[in-house]
Amino acid sequence: MLKIVLVVLLAFLVQYVFKTLLMFDINKRTYNHRPGPCRKVDGPVHGSEDIAIVEELNLAFITSGLVYLIEDPTQVTWKGQIFAYDLSKKTYKAESIPIVNLEDGDGFHPHGISHWIKKDGSVRLFVVVHSKQFRHSIAILDFDKTKWQLNHVKTVRDDKFVRPNDVVATGENSFLVSNDGGAQTIVGNAIEMFTGFFKGGLVYFDGMNSHYLLENTVANGIILSRDRKTLFVSHINQETIGVFAWDQKKITIKKISEIETLTGCDNFFIDNEDNLWSGCHPVLKDAVGHLGDATNPNLYSQSQVLRFKFSSDLKSTEMLEVFSDDGRFTAASAIAATFDNGKQLLIGTVFRDLTHCDIDVPLDF
Amino acid sequence: MGLQSAAAHFINRFIIWITIFMVACFLLRLLVVLDLNKRVYNHTPGPCRVLTDNYKGTAGMTYVESQKRVYITLGYGRAHDLKTKTGIAFYKTNRTDGRSQQEMYDLIEMTINWNGYEYKKEFIPTGIDSYSSSNGRVLLYVINAHPNHQCIHFFQIVESSKLNHRKAICDPSFSSLQDIAVVGPDRLFVTNMAAFGRGWAQILEFSLQTGQGAVYYYDGSKLSTAASSLIAPTGIGYDAKRRILYVGSMIRESIFAYKVAKDTTLELLYEMMLLTSPIGVFVESKTGDIWIAAHPVIHESAWHYTHPENQNIHSPSQILRIRIQEEGNSWVTTEPYANDGATISASSSVVFTDEQMLIGSSFGRLLHCDLTHSYIT
């Protein structure tokens, strides 16, 4: 009897070790390739984690200076900023925009970002913000084009914003927020990863109240399709993308499919042909090492840009790898966004700089 | 007596647990080798087109600089019981020789004068290499992968599109010939991938990773073993300028670099871990860059090789380019091409020249790509 128990235990141990080895991608690496000439954008050096492209203004807003699972606030020597990048000419230079009327200027470390065009045509930004003490909120900022500044409108805090990662604007005062886990410490996060019992999820804030849409999962990047009816959720630790039908009036989501990517896709972008773009982390062991010690220049992890072209029923997708790097040029890509009718590409990283590429190869073949 | 039986009992249990532990470790290694967590994400370096879909296999390629031609072996699938024509064809890489747009992508099949060779119907060509002598003679050396008749065939190119068969070298130690690299006139290295030629015996050999592959050397009159105890050696390529022989290992997912001494003995320089299974190797003579045609996901390749007649069972294709730096102390790997198998399945050979690339596959198509930015892809 005891022998049977021991053999079963050993079998469980072997399969657990195997799953963990595969989860950490010990047998994977990237092979570099680019879609055309690539250059660094001057400006963001400590992160370009998310990008919001406002086509109406030919402008990209880039969040920089992320704080993530930090345990010692004195380690945070960098500044949280939002950069603006002019997409109409190849300046390869992004400039930091001043943010006016922030409650706590030193506690502003932006993460995910989304934009909404208000009725008067001006741009409103929704930004996931962490403080140096890793407290979380959603900041609502209005872009003043004339004065070239961001005016702080409101900060939303909620118990359901457990560990927010990304945000999608659904109205002038409403948005969806993803929680990428429940733990607030590195050890807690490791426990979630190793056990598979995730405490993240998806929350909808309607302007007054918050509503749970998904619980006990990992939700990283989130985005809505151009018609605002389909929601894409990155389950980054499970290496899948969840596709949901989103009903804003009823505040409900209905699962359509789950795409297995075999890579950790981070933030999302929808191009003007309704293709989904993502910056991914193909090798988890290196990503964990790099993101755990972000200021160490000797630690870097791989970057990957994927484009997903969905079937009309949204149940399957063609995956195209547009960019791949072992980390020495672009480390830990988190977002990829195209503009100029798909001829140019911006690649943002979690804790490093911003890359701007031309796309000179065919993407459909 | 009680003490003795207790000791025997302990040893017995100890042996059982050691055995279980070893089996568990073997299973783990096997599962990791299968690449269950890998896939390929499609991309191309520029516009691509299919040159031919008429043969079940375009598995071997070699480039002849003096003629600006790529010679391609056809019909490797017959070695895996597929019905197909076999032979050798060439593709002209010169885009400015006055041919029309349509003619530019033509493949020209060659006629073979067998000069009375009695086993010509058992010719299934796969690996191929060439030697251009100073008097303008071009010699082709071709691996015959027929299960019952593994040989190295020597040809000479005559009258532009004809091949004269000169001789064949067959040996009982040839069980799974894969590729060939020529280092001089009638002097060549060949890879023998496994002790068992095909089927489940070979799969078992690969699973156990017993390392029974070898590299043989032929000096013009005698055959000898140049390197042995290799795990599934596949593609082989020679850098004549630097006298380096590159040998791919399918199971180790790596490339071995050997220095070829004056007496053609091999000295191991380094091993490059690719983490993908190399099948074909092409060395750019000018730059020394190594191009690899690879099978990136082994379990899908194994399934594809077991059912080559099934068009729905694909294997991913991958082309790598490795730039060696600092005399082999470091290298940079780029991936010009990758496909999940829908366009080209199981890439097994590659040639790059003049901003264009040819990709051959084990049981199917020949693909031609232009490289929009060959310096960065």
Side-chain angles (χ1 to χ4, degrees):
Chain A
M1 188 60 200
L2 180 65
K3 277 184 182 176
I4 293 170
V5 171
L6 285 177
V7 169
V8 169
L9 200 68
L10 182 67
F12 174 81
L13 195 70
V14 168
Q15 70 87 31
Y16 179 80
V17 169
F18 173 66
K19 275 184 178 176
T20 306
L21 290 177
L22 287 203
M23 182 182 74
F24 277 102
D25 303 319
I26 56 159
N27 58 338
K28 268 193 205 175
R29 57 160 292 175
T30 52
Y31 311 96
N32 304 313
H33 70 90
R34 300 174 190 182
C38 296
R39 273 181 63 177
K40 296 304 181 135
V41 174
D42 199 27
V45 292
H46 209 286
S48 46
E49 207 270 346
D50 206 2
I51 299 170
I53 288 194
V54 184
E55 287 156 5
E56 292 84 353
L57 299 178
N58 242 331
L59 204 59
F61 293 97
I62 302 128
T63 57
S64 183
L66 173 64
V67 154
Y68 192 69
L69 288 174
I70 205 86
E71 286 176 354
D72 180 6
T74 60
Q75 284 176 32
V76 183
T77 55
W78 56 90
K79 190 181 170 190
Q81 301 175 85
I82 295 183
F83 285 86
Y85 188 47
D86 187 348
L87 303 175
S88 62
K89 37 188 188 283
K90 292 186 185 180
T91 60
Y92 298 103
K93 199 179 191 65
E95 58 187 49
S96 177
I97 311 181
I99 306 171
V100 182
N101 297 326
L102 270 180
E103 295 172 5
D104 176 17
D106 279 350
F108 182 83
H109 291 280
H111 199 159
I113 188 171
S114 182
H115 78 283
W116 185 263
I117 308 293
K118 292 161 71 187
K119 281 174 192 141
D120 62 2
S122 63
V123 177
R124 170 163 286 186
L125 297 179
F126 296 78
V127 184
V128 174
V129 177
H130 310 292
S131 69
K132 281 190 169 75
Q133 293 78 24
F134 202 49
R135 307 241 203 279
H136 322 295
S137 58
I138 308 295
I140 301 178
L141 314 167
D142 280 349
F143 177 57
D144 189 330
K145 197 166 82 169
T146 311
K147 294 183 182 173
W148 201 257
Q149 67 190 24
L150 293 168
N151 294 322
H152 177 255
V153 174
K154 185 183 359 177
T155 292
V156 183
R157 294 189 176 86
D158 194 282
D159 290 343
K160 294 190 175 70
F161 302 161
V162 177
R163 203 172 84 191
N165 183 293
D166 200 8
V167 61
V168 178
T170 57
E172 284 199 9
N173 291 290
S174 60
F175 48 84
L176 291 150
V177 180
S178 61
N179 288 313
D180 63 9
Q184 305 298 313
T185 61
I186 293 169
V187 171
N189 191 51
I191 290 171
E192 275 190 41
M193 280 189 71
F194 279 108
T195 60
F197 295 124
F198 300 107
K199 295 291 178 186
L202 186 67
V203 178
Y204 175 65
F205 186 79
D206 62 12
M208 301 280 286
N209 303 300
S210 57
H211 311 259
Y212 270 121
L213 298 175
L214 288 173
E215 287 185 75
N216 296 322
T217 183
V218 181
N220 196 302
I222 50 174
I223 202 157
L224 288 170
S225 58
R226 294 252 162 174
D227 62 4
R228 316 218 138 244
K229 290 178 181 172
T230 307
L231 173 69
F232 301 94
V233 178
S234 163
H235 303 298
I236 186 170
N237 288 352
Q238 290 142 319
E239 298 191 332
T240 61
I241 293 174
V243 185
F244 301 86
W246 161 242
D247 190 327
Q248 186 157 328
K249 286 177 183 171
K250 295 180 184 172
I251 309 178
T252 58
I253 56 170
K254 184 185 174 186
K255 185 164 180 175
I256 298 173
S257 64
E258 189 157 337
I259 305 294
E260 192 166 294
T261 60
L262 295 183
T263 184
C265 287
D266 209 323
N267 292 329
F268 289 145
F269 173 78
I270 298 280
D271 68 15
N272 51 24
E273 291 173 7
D274 248 340
N275 297 316
L276 182 75
W277 292 69
S278 186
C280 305
H281 307 283
V283 182
L284 183 62
K285 67 176 168 66
D286 294 333
V288 165
H290 165 56
L291 302 178
D293 191 3
T295 54
N296 188 340
N298 295 316
L299 283 175
Y300 49 81
S301 68
Q302 294 81 359
S303 292
Q304 186 183 38
V305 170
L306 294 183
R307 190 202 70 173
F308 302 84
K309 187 184 277 281
F310 278 87
S311 56
S312 49
D313 62 357
L314 297 166
K315 291 190 193 298
S316 66
T317 178
E318 282 175 23
M319 288 183 222
L320 187 77
E321 187 182 68
V322 180
F323 176 95
S324 179
D325 191 77
D326 56 14
R328 282 179 270 197
F329 180 67
T330 302
S333 61
I335 178 68
T338 63
F339 57 101
D340 189 16
N341 281 313
K343 294 201 210 78
Q344 295 185 66
L345 173 67
L346 283 183
I347 305 169
T349 60
V350 182
F351 289 124
R352 297 278 166 91
D353 41 29
L354 181 70
T355 301
H356 182 170
C357 297
D358 295 326
I359 298 183
D360 288 338
V361 296
L363 300 185
D364 295 301
F365 48 83
Chain B
M1 178 58 68
L3 199 64
Q4 217 171 40
S5 72
H9 184 61
F10 172 79
I11 289 170
N12 187 56
R13 286 176 70 184
F14 183 74
I15 288 170
I16 287 173
W17 279 109
I18 289 293
T19 305
I20 290 175
F21 178 78
M22 286 176 71
V23 169
C25 282
F26 164 76
L27 279 178
L28 273 179
R29 265 181 86 207
L30 177 62
L31 288 168
V32 169
V33 164
L34 284 177
D35 300 327
L36 296 173
N37 61 339
K38 281 187 192 175
R39 63 158 289 152
V40 149
Y41 310 94
N42 299 327
H43 62 92
T44 68
C48 297
R49 72 238 11 119
V50 175
L51 289 192
T52 183
D53 208 358
N54 295 330
Y55 309 92
K56 298 294 199 298
T58 51
M61 272 192 270
T62 187
Y63 178 61
V64 177
E65 176 80 50
S66 55
Q67 299 178 323
K68 292 217 178 292
R69 288 183 183 180
V70 178
Y71 289 92
I72 302 134
T73 57
L74 309 166
Y76 171 71
R78 192 192 282 186
H80 288 254
D81 300 325
L82 295 181
K83 285 186 167 58
T84 179
K85 188 166 44 162
T86 65
I88 296 169
F90 65 85
Y91 172 81
K92 295 182 187 175
T93 62
N94 191 351
R95 320 281 274 274
T96 59
D97 59 357
R99 287 177 294 160
S100 71
Q101 181 76 25
Q102 186 63 42
E103 288 166 337
M104 205 168 297
Y105 299 119
D106 279 349
L107 219 61
I108 300 164
E109 230 182 290
M110 308 184 82
T111 55
I112 301 175
N113 179 11
W114 287 99
N115 287 319
Y117 183 69
E118 57 183 339
Y119 295 105
K120 64 184 182 184
K121 283 182 180 165
E122 291 176 9
F123 183 57
I124 304 180
T126 172
I128 185 172
D129 205 357
S130 64
Y131 180 78
S132 303
S133 58
S134 47
N135 62 10
R137 225 166 56 131
V138 180
L139 307 172
L140 285 186
Y141 304 86
V142 182
I143 298 284
N144 184 1
H146 195 287
N148 303 326
H149 201 75
Q150 301 246 317
C151 302
I152 308 165
H153 292 267
F154 296 59
F155 294 96
Q156 182 181 344
I157 301 171
V158 296
E159 292 176 36
S160 176
S161 65
K162 284 182 186 172
L163 289 173
N164 252 0
H165 187 255
R166 298 167 51 221
K167 67 179 176 179
I169 303 297
C170 316
D171 193 89
S173 57
F174 293 163
S175 52
S176 184
L177 289 182
Q178 289 295 303
D179 204 5
I180 184 167
V182 172
V183 300
D186 286 9
R187 288 199 287 275
L188 46 91
F189 290 94
V190 294
T191 49
N192 195 57
M193 183 169 64
F196 296 98
R198 19 175 239 166
W200 288 105
Q202 189 183 77
I203 291 175
L204 186 64
E205 181 184 342
F206 288 154
S207 301
L208 294 170
Q209 299 176 42
T210 52
Q212 302 192 103
V215 174
Y216 296 113
Y217 175 65
Y218 180 72
D219 64 1
S221 61
K222 189 171 86 272
L223 190 77
S224 60
T225 303
S228 58
S229 302
L230 303 179
I231 304 182
T234 48
I236 190 166
Y238 182 60
D239 188 341
K241 204 181 296 181
R242 299 156 188 86
R243 293 189 68 89
I244 297 178
L245 186 75
Y246 296 103
V247 180
S249 171
M250 183 177 72
I251 299 295
R252 276 190 71 79
E253 299 187 329
S254 65
I255 293 273
F256 293 91
Y258 296 94
K259 191 75 177 180
V260 182
K262 290 275 174 64
D263 63 351
T264 64
T265 53
L266 299 181
E267 176 208 340
L268 179 61
L269 293 174
Y270 50 87
E271 182 184 10
M272 271 180 259
M273 301 309 298
L274 300 177
L275 298 188
T276 187
S277 297
I279 303 297
V281 174
F282 170 75
V283 182
E284 256 186 280
S285 58
K286 195 195 321 179
T287 60
D289 289 356
I290 309 160
W291 292 70
I292 308 280
H295 295 346
V297 184
I298 279 193
H299 74 272
E300 292 191 48
S301 301
W303 199 235
H304 177 63
Y305 275 75
T306 312
H307 301 88
E309 75 288 344
N310 193 328
Q311 306 279 1
N312 292 319
I313 298 181
H314 298 142
S315 172
S317 294
Q318 185 185 39
I319 303 295
L320 300 182
R321 179 187 200 167
I322 302 171
R323 287 194 176 91
I324 310 291
Q325 297 167 337
E326 302 167 45
E327 297 291 316
N329 284 323
S330 68
W331 50 84
V332 176
T333 308
T334 61
E335 184 187 57
Y337 183 88
N339 188 261
D340 56 10
T343 302
I344 183 168
S345 207
S347 59
S348 52
S349 57
V350 61
V351 160
F352 167 77
T353 182
D354 297 327
E355 310 295 302
Q356 54 187 315
M357 175 170 72
L358 259 64
I359 308 170
S361 59
S362 292
F363 305 119
R365 295 169 162 174
L366 181 67
L367 201 69
H368 177 276
C369 294
D370 298 305
L371 277 73
T372 307
H373 300 283
S374 68
Y375 58 95
I376 60 172
T377 58

